[in-house]
Amino acid sequence: MKILLLEWDSFGQEYVAEAFRQNECETEHYPWPFGKQEMRENDTLCRELENRLRNGDVSVVFSLNFFPVAAYACHLCGIRYVSWVYDTPYLLLYSKHIKYETNQVYLFDRSLCEEFRRNGIDRVYYLPMAAPVEIYEKIRADGGRKYRAEISFVGSTYREETQDFSCMLEGISPYAAGYLDAIIGMQKAVYGNFFLDGLLEGKETVLEELRRVCPILRGEDEWESEAWVYANYFLARKLTGIQRVELLDMLSEHFEVKLYTPKGTPELPRVANQGPVDYVSQMPQVFKNTCINLNMTLRSIHDGIPLRAMDIMGCGGFLLTNYQEDFEYWFQPDVDYVYYMDKEDLLYKADYYLGHEEERMQIAANGLRKVKEAHTYGHRIRTILDGLGRME
């Protein structure tokens, strides 16, 4: 079987390619200009891919994330298009081209998969993210002071996005501003149930204000609601930024906290901002040398296990995360990982596990074993290939 891989600047691309090769698939990398060209309707790009597929030697086209123009080209040629989506929210999913029978779309958030199926899209399937454990096992913890910490967090505080959105809202009506603050406050207190979009649906007065101060451009074939876009793209990021800063600041009052992020964080004076880390060579060192690796999920990921959480466990790191329902299908809390439900719970569990090293290390070892046994890129690609076999 020959796989045409649409190659762009994505996470995990090299791991996917290697997993295909280990399953005796021939692979060809096809340059894909995501971020440089239109991905919904693009006659030139579609025709170029279609011409390549007409050669007859390609069995399957694969991409990380879904591209409507690629789905259309594969549909025209009668070739299976497989995509594995790791971003959310991801507006390109909401396209008329997702309905083709030639599509095989994998989503890492179970609730998102169920949403699409409720809307009559039956070519979507649930597939969690993975970790390249075989790569991480070759990276030895350096044991030095550079990456050692009681608590570390790798990720953005979304400070810039939050500031930009807040600036946009400066001219909004007092009623709309008060309503948005209220529903963000409600969502802030709840994990495991995302309801911001539902609280915006039908609130025409608030939506009209959002359209006025923060207009959004949508493709002609997009079918998600405006409320969904504002809730998942803007409000969820604002809430995530607020919550991440609040929790990191709280933890830094009691423990040594290191933050790995590209931007400065003057609002977190007690947190040691270490700057960005290289995803391949440095990030595993953080996870391997840190006592507690913190995950604070972007709130637009409603139930899914974030890629960062898989990476932490795949490195043998101890994972302390907010509650996400999808963990329950694969891992056992307090055995393979630990979750918190609110600020007080986070503070208590951070203090407890920093004081119980043997228990903490056993949980980290259990998490690594589970990921190694069932959640590597090899496991995921075999699932995809099995799915291809069933659909032939």
Side-chain angles (χ1 to χ4, degrees):
M1 178 184 295
K2 184 168 186 176
I3 312 289
L4 189 73
L5 299 175
L6 302 187
E7 185 174 38
W8 60 282
D9 185 22
S10 64
F11 292 121
Q13 194 163 245
E14 64 275 26
Y15 308 135
V16 166
E18 179 59 26
F20 273 124
R21 287 190 288 269
Q22 289 181 357
N23 281 275
E24 300 182 350
C25 295
E26 182 184 354
T27 60
E28 176 186 334
H29 292 255
Y30 185 89
W32 194 247
F34 182 42
K36 301 175 183 177
Q37 293 191 34
E38 172 60 44
M39 289 289 148
R40 284 189 178 274
E41 304 292 338
N42 188 322
D43 290 342
T44 300
L45 193 59
C46 180
R47 186 166 53 251
E48 289 173 352
L49 180 56
E50 185 182 355
N51 288 339
R52 171 64 190 86
L53 298 179
R54 295 291 184 191
N55 288 346
D57 61 331
V58 172
S59 304
V60 176
V61 174
F62 177 90
S63 68
L64 286 164
N65 283 348
F66 174 83
F67 303 110
V69 66
Y72 184 46
C74 290
H75 171 68
L76 293 173
C77 297
I79 289 178
R80 183 73 62 192
Y81 174 47
V82 178
S83 58
W84 185 15
V85 178
Y86 67 77
D87 275 333
T88 187
Y90 187 67
L91 288 181
L92 289 176
L93 278 171
Y94 296 83
S95 163
K96 63 185 179 183
H97 298 303
I98 199 171
K99 297 181 179 181
Y100 298 135
E101 291 187 357
T102 45
N103 288 337
Q104 196 167 316
V105 182
Y106 291 95
L107 308 175
F108 80 99
D109 189 320
R110 186 183 294 270
S111 66
L112 185 60
C113 184
E114 292 171 353
E115 174 196 327
F116 273 81
R117 288 185 169 269
R118 284 195 301 269
N119 282 278
I121 312 298
D122 60 1
R123 291 293 179 174
V124 296
Y125 308 90
Y126 172 58
L127 191 69
M129 298 312 300
V133 177
E134 65 280 2
I135 302 297
Y136 292 154
E137 286 183 331
K138 297 175 183 177
I139 301 174
R140 300 178 64 86
D142 66 2
R145 283 294 308 166
K146 183 176 181 180
Y147 299 109
R148 285 171 55 193
E150 290 183 325
I151 300 174
S152 290
F153 176 70
V154 179
S156 174
T157 62
Y158 291 102
R159 182 168 173 264
E160 291 75 20
E161 291 87 342
T162 299
Q163 285 182 334
D164 289 346
F165 185 55
S166 297
C167 290
M168 292 176 187
L169 296 182
E170 285 180 357
I172 204 167
S173 71
Y175 171 79
Y179 186 81
L180 293 176
D181 285 343
I183 65 174
I184 287 174
M186 292 170 63
Q187 184 68 80
K188 181 181 174 184
V190 177
Y191 288 106
N193 181 17
F194 186 82
F195 47 73
L196 283 175
D197 50 346
L199 294 176
L200 280 179
E201 292 286 359
K203 288 291 181 179
E204 189 57 33
T205 302
V206 178
L207 289 171
E208 183 60 35
E209 283 291 287
L210 286 171
R211 292 186 203 108
R212 182 175 64 82
V213 301
C214 185
I216 54 176
L217 297 176
R218 304 171 69 206
E220 292 182 1
D221 68 331
E222 289 186 46
W223 47 271
E224 79 290 1
S225 70
E226 280 185 310
W228 187 95
V229 176
Y230 282 119
N232 284 276
Y233 259 88
F234 296 100
L235 300 186
R237 277 174 162 75
K238 181 177 177 65
L239 172 55
T240 302
I242 292 171
Q243 214 153 30
R244 286 183 176 181
V245 168
E246 182 180 284
L247 295 180
L248 288 170
D249 186 54
M250 177 195 69
L251 290 170
S252 70
E253 292 181 4
H254 305 275
F255 313 110
E256 175 197 26
V257 179
K258 288 185 177 180
L259 170 65
Y260 296 85
T261 194
K263 304 296 182 180
T265 50
E267 70 275 25
L268 293 169
R270 293 180 297 270
V271 174
N273 188 328
Q274 305 295 104
V277 285
D278 178 75
Y279 187 85
V280 176
S281 62
Q282 295 176 310
M283 188 182 70
Q285 290 286 2
V286 175
F287 298 156
K288 288 172 180 282
N289 285 281
T290 295
C291 297
I292 293 177
N293 290 285
L294 187 61
N295 174 64
M296 297 178 284
T297 305
L298 175 62
R299 295 302 290 265
S300 56
I301 302 175
H302 299 167
D303 291 325
I305 302 173
L307 178 61
R308 190 60 40 82
M310 284 290 193
D311 284 326
I312 290 169
M313 291 187 288
C315 285
F318 176 87
L319 172 63
L320 178 56
T321 178
N322 62 278
Y323 176 79
Q324 293 285 111
E325 184 176 341
D326 283 7
F327 274 103
E328 296 182 356
Y329 295 97
W330 307 102
F331 302 98
Q332 186 174 348
D334 301 326
V335 175
D336 306 314
Y337 76 105
V338 175
Y339 72 79
Y340 64 89
M341 291 300 296
D342 53 36
K343 286 178 61 175
E344 292 73 21
D345 194 33
L346 171 59
L347 184 61
Y348 168 77
K349 287 176 177 175
D351 183 61
Y352 176 85
Y353 283 105
L354 284 173
H356 292 77
E357 181 179 10
E358 185 175 342
E359 189 174 349
R360 185 182 74 236
M361 292 181 67
Q362 183 60 59
I363 290 172
N366 293 341
L368 172 58
R369 177 178 55 80
K370 284 280 185 70
V371 173
K372 189 173 183 179
E373 289 177 350
H375 301 284
T376 68
Y377 283 87
H379 291 106
R380 298 295 181 259
I381 295 305
R382 282 194 289 276
T383 297
I384 289 172
L385 292 174
D386 288 344
L388 284 169
R390 288 193 298 271
M391 293 177 187
E392 288 180 352

